[in-house]
Amino acid sequence: MHDTSETLAVIRKLLESQRLAVLSTQNHGQPYCNLIAIAATDDLKYLLFATTRATRKYANLMADSRVAVLVDNRQNNPADFAAAAA
């Protein structure tokens, strides 16, 4: 997949079909992962999720805004190794 428009189409399809993702933050070098509900903006520039200020993920984000987010379409079967997208 070398075409930017083709890549964006795959990303759009993935984000439109999935409502959950894994958000990874860190605190003092220790990883912290959460399952979050997501929505992407139409231009795919932003991935949105809601959290309250009382959560550990919010505190981690305020301390260090670097994160990793994993969105995937796996079905929990062996075919995922060849067919799943993330």
Side-chain angles (χ1 to χ4, degrees):
M1 198 176 342
H2 300 288
D3 182 16
T4 301
S5 61
E6 182 183 349
T7 301
L8 287 174
V10 169
I11 292 169
R12 182 178 304 282
K13 182 177 178 183
L14 180 63
L15 291 174
E16 287 175 350
S17 69
Q18 301 302 309
R19 297 292 168 235
L20 298 175
V22 176
L23 171 71
S24 297
T25 60
Q26 65 91 27
N27 186 340
H28 301 293
Q30 297 301 307
Y32 185 71
C33 295
N34 292 96
L35 195 59
I36 56 171
I38 58 163
T41 57
D42 288 337
D43 60 6
L44 301 179
K45 282 188 169 190
Y46 300 99
L47 192 61
L48 310 171
F49 70 95
T51 189
T52 66
R53 292 178 186 210
T55 62
R56 183 178 299 173
K57 68 180 146 304
Y58 181 85
N60 290 351
L61 286 165
M62 293 299 99
D64 187 342
S65 62
R66 295 175 299 168
V67 302
V69 176
L70 176 68
V71 181
D72 69 75
N73 65 353
R74 67 198 136 120
Q75 300 291 313
N76 202 26
N77 62 51
D80 289 342
F81 289 103

